[in-house]
Protein backbone atom coordinates (compact mmCIF):
# COMPACT_ATOMS: atom_id res chain seq x y z
CA UNK A 1 0.00 0.00 0.00
CA UNK A 2 1.79 3.12 -1.21
CA UNK A 3 1.54 6.32 0.76
CA UNK A 4 1.21 7.96 -2.64
CA UNK A 5 -2.34 6.59 -2.67
CA UNK A 6 -3.05 9.07 0.11
CA UNK A 7 -0.69 11.85 -0.93
CA UNK A 8 0.01 11.71 -4.68
CA UNK A 9 3.22 13.75 -4.49
CA UNK A 10 4.73 11.74 -1.63
CA UNK A 11 7.17 8.85 -1.70
CA UNK A 12 6.37 5.84 0.44
CA UNK A 13 8.42 5.31 3.60
CA UNK A 14 10.26 1.97 3.56
CA UNK A 15 8.36 -0.98 4.94
CA UNK A 16 9.69 -3.37 7.56
CA UNK A 17 9.03 -6.61 5.69
CA UNK A 18 8.88 -9.57 8.01
CA UNK A 19 8.91 -7.35 11.09
CA UNK A 20 5.40 -8.50 11.97
CA UNK A 21 2.85 -6.63 14.01
CA UNK A 22 3.98 -4.15 16.66
CA UNK A 23 4.37 -5.48 20.18
CA UNK A 24 0.99 -6.06 21.80
CA UNK A 25 -0.84 -6.24 18.47
CA UNK A 26 -1.26 -10.01 18.50
CA UNK A 27 -4.48 -10.01 16.50
CA UNK A 28 -3.09 -8.78 13.18
CA UNK A 29 -2.48 -11.16 10.33
CA UNK A 30 0.93 -11.05 8.60
CA UNK A 31 1.45 -7.79 6.73
CA UNK A 32 4.57 -7.05 4.68
CA UNK A 33 3.86 -3.32 4.83
CA UNK A 34 4.05 -2.90 8.58
CA UNK A 35 6.40 -0.24 9.86
CA UNK A 36 8.36 0.14 13.06
CA UNK A 37 8.81 3.46 14.84
CA UNK A 38 12.59 3.47 14.83
CA UNK A 39 13.04 7.20 14.25
CA UNK A 40 13.03 9.66 17.13
CA UNK A 41 10.54 12.39 17.87
CA UNK A 42 11.32 15.87 16.54
CA UNK A 43 12.89 18.56 18.67
CA UNK A 44 10.34 20.16 20.97
CA UNK A 45 8.91 23.52 19.96
CA UNK A 46 8.55 25.88 22.94
CA UNK A 47 5.04 27.20 23.53
CA UNK A 48 4.22 30.91 23.53
CA UNK A 49 2.02 32.69 26.01
CA UNK A 50 -0.99 34.31 24.44
CA UNK A 51 -1.59 34.93 20.77
CA UNK A 52 1.41 35.44 18.45
CA UNK A 53 2.19 39.02 17.48
CA UNK A 54 1.70 40.26 13.95
CA UNK A 55 5.46 40.13 13.48
CA UNK A 56 5.54 36.49 14.57
CA UNK A 57 2.67 35.62 12.26
CA UNK A 58 4.42 37.24 9.30
CA UNK A 59 7.74 35.60 10.12
CA UNK A 60 6.04 32.23 10.42
CA UNK A 61 4.35 32.61 7.05
CA UNK A 62 7.66 33.56 5.43
CA UNK A 63 9.39 30.49 6.90
CA UNK A 64 6.53 28.28 5.77
CA UNK A 65 6.86 29.66 2.22
CA UNK A 66 10.58 28.89 2.18
CA UNK A 67 9.84 25.36 3.42
CA UNK A 68 7.43 24.83 0.54
CA UNK A 69 10.09 25.89 -1.95
CA UNK A 70 12.65 23.54 -0.40
CA UNK A 71 10.12 20.71 -0.46
CA UNK A 72 9.45 21.36 -4.13
CA UNK A 73 13.17 21.05 -4.81
CA UNK A 74 13.24 17.68 -3.06
CA UNK A 75 15.19 19.03 -0.10
CA UNK A 76 13.11 17.27 2.53
CA UNK A 77 15.42 17.69 5.51
CA UNK A 78 15.83 21.43 4.86
CA UNK A 79 12.07 21.78 4.40
CA UNK A 80 11.45 20.08 7.76
CA UNK A 81 13.94 22.39 9.48
CA UNK A 82 12.32 25.46 7.95
CA UNK A 83 8.86 24.30 9.11
CA UNK A 84 10.32 23.98 12.60
CA UNK A 85 11.36 27.62 12.33
CA UNK A 86 7.83 28.59 11.30
CA UNK A 87 6.45 26.77 14.34
CA UNK A 88 8.73 28.67 16.71
CA UNK A 89 7.02 31.87 15.56
CA UNK A 90 3.51 30.43 15.69
CA UNK A 91 3.44 27.14 17.70
CA UNK A 92 -0.35 26.97 17.87
CA UNK A 93 -0.84 26.89 14.10
CA UNK A 94 -2.43 23.51 13.24
CA UNK A 95 -1.65 23.93 9.53
CA UNK A 96 2.09 24.24 10.24
CA UNK A 97 2.07 21.09 12.39
CA UNK A 98 0.12 19.16 9.77
CA UNK A 99 2.44 20.23 6.97
CA UNK A 100 5.56 19.27 8.90
CA UNK A 101 3.89 15.92 9.76
CA UNK A 102 3.54 15.27 6.02
CA UNK A 103 7.18 16.20 5.40
CA UNK A 104 8.27 13.81 8.16
CA UNK A 105 6.19 11.02 6.65
CA UNK A 106 7.71 11.57 3.21
CA UNK A 107 11.19 11.62 4.76
CA UNK A 108 10.71 8.15 6.28
CA UNK A 109 10.14 9.36 9.84
CA UNK A 110 6.78 7.85 10.90
CA UNK A 111 7.28 8.49 14.63
CA UNK A 112 7.97 12.19 14.02
CA UNK A 113 5.04 12.32 11.58
CA UNK A 114 2.72 10.79 14.19
CA UNK A 115 3.93 13.30 16.79
CA UNK A 116 3.29 16.32 14.58
CA UNK A 117 -0.09 15.00 13.39
CA UNK A 118 -1.21 14.61 17.01
CA UNK A 119 -0.10 18.18 17.76
CA UNK A 120 -2.01 19.52 14.75
CA UNK A 121 -5.18 17.71 15.84
CA UNK A 122 -4.86 19.14 19.35
CA UNK A 123 -5.28 22.60 17.87
CA UNK A 124 -7.73 21.60 15.12
CA UNK A 125 -9.42 18.16 15.29
CA UNK A 126 -10.60 18.59 11.69
CA UNK A 127 -7.21 19.19 10.10
CA UNK A 128 -7.53 16.89 7.08
CA UNK A 129 -3.81 16.63 6.36
CA UNK A 130 -3.06 15.59 9.95
CA UNK A 131 -5.93 13.06 9.94
CA UNK A 132 -4.59 11.43 6.78
CA UNK A 133 -1.01 11.38 8.03
CA UNK A 134 -2.01 9.79 11.33
CA UNK A 135 -4.40 7.38 9.59
CA UNK A 136 -1.62 6.31 7.21
CA UNK A 137 0.91 5.73 10.01
CA UNK A 138 -1.61 3.73 12.02
CA UNK A 139 -2.46 1.67 8.95
CA UNK A 140 1.21 0.65 8.67
CA UNK A 141 1.39 -0.06 12.40
CA UNK A 142 -1.52 -2.49 12.14
CA UNK A 143 -3.76 -0.23 14.23
CA UNK A 144 -6.70 -0.82 11.93
CA UNK A 145 -9.49 0.67 14.03
CA UNK A 146 -7.55 3.90 14.72
CA UNK A 147 -6.60 4.18 11.06
CA UNK A 148 -10.17 3.61 9.91
CA UNK A 149 -11.45 6.31 12.26
CA UNK A 150 -8.98 8.97 11.04
CA UNK A 151 -9.18 8.17 7.32
CA UNK A 152 -12.99 8.06 7.40
CA UNK A 153 -13.10 11.41 9.20
CA UNK A 154 -10.77 12.96 6.61
CA UNK A 155 -12.94 11.65 3.76
CA UNK A 156 -16.05 13.07 5.38
CA UNK A 157 -14.43 16.52 5.55
CA UNK A 158 -12.64 16.53 2.20
CA UNK A 159 -13.33 13.58 -0.08
CA UNK A 160 -10.31 12.27 -1.98
CA UNK A 161 -10.86 9.54 -4.56
CA UNK A 162 -7.24 8.44 -4.19
CA UNK A 163 -8.01 7.40 -0.60
CA UNK A 164 -10.68 4.83 -1.53
CA UNK A 165 -8.33 1.89 -2.02
CA UNK A 166 -6.55 2.49 1.27
CA UNK A 167 -9.82 2.99 3.12
CA UNK A 168 -11.32 -0.25 1.77
CA UNK A 169 -8.24 -2.22 2.77
CA UNK A 170 -8.23 -0.77 6.28
CA UNK A 171 -11.97 -1.45 6.61
CA UNK A 172 -11.52 -5.12 5.68
CA UNK A 173 -8.67 -5.61 8.15
CA UNK A 174 -10.60 -3.90 10.94
CA UNK A 175 -13.61 -6.13 10.24
CA UNK A 176 -11.47 -9.28 10.32
CA UNK A 177 -9.95 -8.29 13.63
CA UNK A 178 -13.38 -7.53 15.08
CA UNK A 179 -14.61 -11.00 14.10
CA UNK A 180 -11.56 -12.65 15.68
CA UNK A 181 -12.11 -10.71 18.88
CA UNK A 182 -15.75 -11.75 19.01
CA UNK A 183 -14.83 -15.40 18.42
CA UNK A 184 -12.20 -15.30 21.15
CA UNK A 185 -14.58 -13.56 23.54
CA UNK A 186 -17.27 -16.16 22.85
CA UNK A 187 -14.80 -19.01 23.43
CA UNK A 188 -13.72 -17.45 26.73
CA UNK A 189 -17.33 -16.99 27.84
CA UNK A 190 -18.15 -20.61 26.97
CA UNK A 191 -15.10 -21.84 28.87
CA UNK A 192 -16.13 -19.75 31.89
CA UNK A 193 -19.67 -21.14 31.71
CA UNK A 194 -18.31 -24.71 31.60
CA UNK A 195 -16.11 -24.10 34.63
CA UNK A 196 -19.03 -22.59 36.55
CA UNK A 197 -21.28 -25.54 35.66
CA UNK A 198 -18.62 -28.03 36.78
CA UNK A 199 -18.25 -26.12 40.04
CA UNK A 200 -22.02 -26.07 40.54
CA UNK A 201 -22.27 -29.83 39.98
CA UNK A 202 -19.38 -30.50 42.33
CA UNK A 203 -20.98 -28.39 45.06
CA UNK A 204 -24.33 -30.11 44.51
CA UNK A 205 -22.67 -33.52 44.77
CA UNK A 206 -20.89 -32.52 47.96
CA UNK A 207 -24.14 -31.19 49.42
CA UNK A 208 -25.99 -34.41 48.58
CA UNK A 209 -23.22 -36.53 50.08
CA UNK A 210 -23.21 -34.38 53.21
CA UNK A 211 -27.00 -34.68 53.52
CA UNK A 212 -26.84 -38.47 53.12
CA UNK A 213 -24.09 -38.71 55.73
CA UNK A 214 -26.06 -36.51 58.12
CA UNK A 215 -29.17 -38.64 57.64
CA UNK A 216 -27.21 -41.83 58.31
CA UNK A 217 -25.60 -40.26 61.37
CA UNK A 218 -28.98 -39.12 62.67
CA UNK A 219 -30.35 -42.64 62.26
CA UNK A 220 -27.34 -44.04 64.09
CA UNK A 221 -27.51 -41.44 66.86
CA UNK A 222 -31.17 -42.26 67.48
CA UNK A 223 -30.19 -45.82 68.44
CA UNK A 224 -28.17 -45.65 71.68
CA UNK A 225 -26.70 -49.08 72.14
CA UNK A 226 -28.57 -50.35 69.12
CA UNK A 227 -32.30 -49.59 68.79
CA UNK A 228 -34.26 -46.67 70.21
CA UNK A 229 -36.03 -47.55 73.40
CA UNK A 230 -35.47 -51.24 73.02
CA UNK A 231 -38.22 -53.37 71.52
CA UNK A 232 -41.43 -51.32 71.37
CA UNK A 233 -44.42 -52.98 72.83
CA UNK A 234 -42.42 -55.28 75.02
CA UNK A 235 -42.47 -59.02 74.75
CA UNK A 236 -45.76 -60.52 75.93
CA UNK A 237 -45.28 -63.42 78.20
CA UNK A 238 -41.77 -62.29 78.89
CA UNK A 239 -40.42 -58.82 79.60
CA UNK A 240 -43.05 -56.10 79.12
CA UNK A 241 -41.52 -53.06 77.41
CA UNK A 242 -37.87 -52.15 77.19
CA UNK A 243 -35.08 -54.24 75.73
CA UNK A 244 -35.34 -58.06 75.90
CA UNK A 245 -32.77 -59.91 77.99
CA UNK A 246 -29.58 -60.52 76.04
CA UNK A 247 -30.34 -57.83 73.44
CA UNK A 248 -27.68 -55.49 74.81
CA UNK A 249 -24.98 -58.13 74.31
CA UNK A 250 -26.36 -58.89 70.84
CA UNK A 251 -26.00 -55.24 69.85
CA UNK A 252 -22.36 -55.29 70.92
CA UNK A 253 -21.55 -57.87 68.25
CA UNK A 254 -18.99 -56.25 65.84
CA UNK A 255 -20.84 -57.34 62.70
CA UNK A 256 -24.17 -56.04 63.99
CA UNK A 257 -22.55 -52.78 65.13
CA UNK A 258 -21.04 -52.38 61.66
CA UNK A 259 -24.43 -53.03 60.07
CA UNK A 260 -25.93 -50.29 62.23
CA UNK A 261 -23.60 -47.80 60.50
CA UNK A 262 -24.82 -48.80 57.04
CA UNK A 263 -27.27 -46.09 55.82
CA UNK A 264 -29.28 -48.78 54.00
CA UNK A 265 -29.50 -51.24 56.90
CA UNK A 266 -29.98 -48.96 59.93
CA UNK A 267 -33.36 -47.44 58.88
CA UNK A 268 -34.79 -50.89 58.10
CA UNK A 269 -33.71 -52.30 61.46
CA UNK A 270 -35.30 -49.29 63.13
CA UNK A 271 -38.51 -50.02 61.21
CA UNK A 272 -38.37 -53.66 62.32
CA UNK A 273 -38.01 -52.65 65.96
CA UNK A 274 -41.00 -50.33 65.64
CA UNK A 275 -43.01 -52.95 63.75
CA UNK A 276 -41.69 -56.48 64.41
CA UNK A 277 -43.99 -57.92 61.74
CA UNK A 278 -41.91 -56.02 59.16
CA UNK A 279 -39.10 -58.51 59.83
CA UNK A 280 -41.00 -61.08 57.78
CA UNK A 281 -40.72 -58.91 54.67
CA UNK A 282 -37.06 -58.08 55.30
CA UNK A 283 -35.72 -61.56 55.95
CA UNK A 284 -34.86 -62.06 52.26
CA UNK A 285 -33.17 -58.67 51.94
CA UNK A 286 -29.53 -59.40 50.95
CA UNK A 287 -28.22 -56.90 53.50
CA UNK A 288 -30.81 -56.85 56.26
CA UNK A 289 -31.80 -60.54 56.22
CA UNK A 290 -28.45 -61.90 57.45
CA UNK A 291 -28.38 -59.32 60.25
CA UNK A 292 -31.89 -60.28 61.41
CA UNK A 293 -31.02 -63.97 61.30
CA UNK A 294 -27.87 -63.41 63.31
CA UNK A 295 -29.68 -61.32 65.91
CA UNK A 296 -32.40 -63.97 66.26
CA UNK A 297 -29.94 -66.83 66.45
CA UNK A 298 -27.87 -65.09 69.12
CA UNK A 299 -30.97 -64.35 71.18
CA UNK A 300 -32.31 -67.87 70.79
CA UNK A 301 -28.91 -69.20 71.71
CA UNK A 302 -29.46 -67.45 75.01
CA UNK A 303 -32.65 -69.38 75.74
CA UNK A 304 -35.03 -68.51 72.95
CA UNK A 305 -37.57 -65.73 72.62
CA UNK A 306 -40.55 -66.68 74.76
CA UNK A 307 -43.83 -65.30 73.73
CA UNK A 308 -42.80 -63.51 70.53
CA UNK A 309 -42.15 -59.80 70.00
CA UNK A 310 -44.47 -56.86 70.58
CA UNK A 311 -47.17 -56.54 67.95
CA UNK A 312 -46.63 -60.08 66.72
CA UNK A 313 -49.09 -61.00 69.45
CA UNK A 314 -46.84 -63.55 71.02
CA UNK A 315 -45.75 -66.89 69.73
CA UNK A 316 -46.59 -69.42 72.36
CA UNK A 317 -43.86 -71.91 72.86
CA UNK A 318 -41.34 -69.90 70.90
CA UNK A 319 -41.46 -69.03 67.16
CA UNK A 320 -42.54 -72.18 65.30
CA UNK A 321 -41.41 -72.20 61.73
CA UNK A 322 -39.27 -69.10 62.38
CA UNK A 323 -38.84 -66.31 59.86
CA UNK A 324 -38.96 -67.23 56.19
CA UNK A 325 -35.51 -68.19 55.07
CA UNK A 326 -34.22 -68.49 58.66
CA UNK A 327 -34.20 -72.24 58.51
CA UNK A 328 -37.08 -72.61 60.94
CA UNK A 329 -37.23 -72.17 64.70
CA UNK A 330 -38.49 -75.23 66.61
CA UNK A 331 -41.04 -74.82 69.38
CA UNK A 332 -39.75 -73.36 72.58
CA UNK A 333 -39.05 -75.77 75.37
CA UNK A 334 -36.80 -78.73 75.69
CA UNK A 335 -33.15 -79.20 75.02
CA UNK A 336 -33.66 -80.05 71.38
CA UNK A 337 -35.10 -76.63 70.55
CA UNK A 338 -32.38 -74.82 72.42
CA UNK A 339 -29.62 -76.91 70.94
CA UNK A 340 -30.94 -76.42 67.42
CA UNK A 341 -31.15 -72.65 67.89
CA UNK A 342 -27.67 -72.59 69.35
CA UNK A 343 -26.26 -74.52 66.41
CA UNK A 344 -27.71 -72.07 63.91
CA UNK A 345 -26.29 -69.21 65.91
CA UNK A 346 -22.84 -70.78 65.74
CA UNK A 347 -23.13 -71.12 61.96
CA UNK A 348 -23.88 -67.44 61.53
CA UNK A 349 -21.23 -66.14 63.92
Amino acid sequence: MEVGACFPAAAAPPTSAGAGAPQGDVESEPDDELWTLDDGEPKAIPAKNGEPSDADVNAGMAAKGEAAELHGEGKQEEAIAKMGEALTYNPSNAMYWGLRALYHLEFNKPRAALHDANKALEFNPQNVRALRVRGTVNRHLGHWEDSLKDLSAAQAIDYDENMNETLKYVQSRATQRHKRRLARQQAEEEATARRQEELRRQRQKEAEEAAAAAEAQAASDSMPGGFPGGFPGGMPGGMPGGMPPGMESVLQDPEIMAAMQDPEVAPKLTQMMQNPMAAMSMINDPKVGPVIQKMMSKMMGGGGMPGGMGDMGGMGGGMPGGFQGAGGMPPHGGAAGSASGSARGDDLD
Side-chain angles (χ1 to χ4, degrees):
M1 189 70 59
E2 294 291 329
V3 175
C6 303
F7 308 101
T15 60
S16 300
Q23 185 176 4
D25 185 23
V26 297
E27 295 173 320
S28 289
E29 296 177 353
D31 186 353
D32 290 339
E33 296 187 33
L34 289 179
W35 297 344
T36 55
L37 301 180
D38 296 331
D39 60 298
E41 292 186 354
K43 184 178 179 180
I45 302 295
K48 283 183 175 290
N49 294 325
E51 294 293 327
S53 64
D54 291 342
D56 287 337
V57 170
N58 292 333
M61 291 179 63
K64 182 256 184 187
E66 293 179 34
E69 291 179 4
L70 292 169
H71 177 265
E73 296 171 1
K75 299 177 180 179
Q76 295 293 100
E77 193 167 4
E78 291 86 343
I80 291 173
K82 188 56 70 172
M83 282 306 305
E85 180 182 334
L87 284 167
T88 59
Y89 291 116
N90 193 354
S92 60
N93 190 304
M95 181 183 66
Y96 291 177
W97 285 108
L99 188 57
R100 196 175 75 160
L102 177 60
Y103 290 172
H104 279 309
L105 184 61
E106 294 174 345
F107 199 52
N108 307 333
K109 293 184 176 182
R111 181 186 292 276
L114 191 60
H115 172 274
D116 283 6
N118 285 332
K119 292 292 292 185
L121 293 169
E122 286 180 15
F123 295 112
N124 180 11
Q126 293 187 322
N127 186 285
V128 174
R129 183 182 286 114
L131 285 169
R132 285 180 176 151
V133 168
R134 190 169 71 176
T136 299
V137 174
N138 279 325
R139 172 260 175 272
H140 288 286
L141 293 177
H143 300 165
W144 308 112
E145 293 84 354
D146 292 338
S147 176
L148 179 62
K149 180 180 178 181
D150 284 342
L151 296 180
S152 297
Q155 286 291 81
I157 298 169
D158 181 21
Y159 179 78
D160 183 352
E161 185 176 354
N162 293 323
M163 289 293 300
N164 285 340
E165 182 181 353
T166 300
L167 195 56
K168 288 179 181 179
Y169 180 76
V170 170
Q171 174 71 65
S172 67
R173 296 300 292 263
T175 300
Q176 292 169 12
R177 173 180 291 178
H178 180 66
K179 290 180 179 179
R180 286 193 296 272
R181 285 178 175 173
L182 288 180
R184 187 179 69 248
Q185 180 180 352
Q186 182 178 358
E188 291 174 352
E189 290 175 352
E190 291 175 353
T192 299
R194 286 194 298 270
R195 289 193 297 269
Q196 291 176 344
E197 177 62 17
E198 291 173 1
L199 181 60
R200 185 194 66 79
R201 290 180 179 178
Q202 179 64 26
R203 289 176 176 173
Q204 181 179 356
K205 179 181 178 182
E206 292 174 354
E208 291 173 352
E209 291 176 350
E215 182 178 353
Q217 185 63 41
S220 176
D221 292 344
S222 68
M223 300 178 179
F227 300 101
F231 282 92
M235 300 183 68
M239 288 70 66
M243 183 180 292
M247 178 59 74
E248 183 175 356
S249 62
V250 170
L251 296 177
Q252 299 302 317
D253 182 280
E255 293 185 20
I256 295 177
M257 291 179 66
M260 297 301 299
Q261 302 302 318
D262 190 323
E264 295 183 23
V265 175
K268 293 182 179 180
L269 292 179
T270 301
Q271 180 184 358
M272 184 191 74
M273 292 300 97
Q274 294 172 348
N275 179 18
M277 291 300 295
M280 302 298 293
S281 63
M282 299 179 189
I283 199 69
N284 289 326
D285 187 293
K287 281 193 172 184
V288 181
V291 179
I292 296 175
Q293 292 184 34
K294 183 161 188 175
M295 292 174 64
M296 299 300 296
S297 66
K298 292 181 81 65
M299 292 183 67
M300 293 179 68
M305 296 181 68
M309 294 191 300
D311 296 337
M312 294 174 69
M315 295 185 181
M319 299 179 68
F323 288 112
Q324 179 183 357
M329 297 183 184
H332 177 68
S338 297
S340 175
S342 177
R344 281 194 300 274
D346 292 340
D347 290 341
L348 291 172
D349 279 344

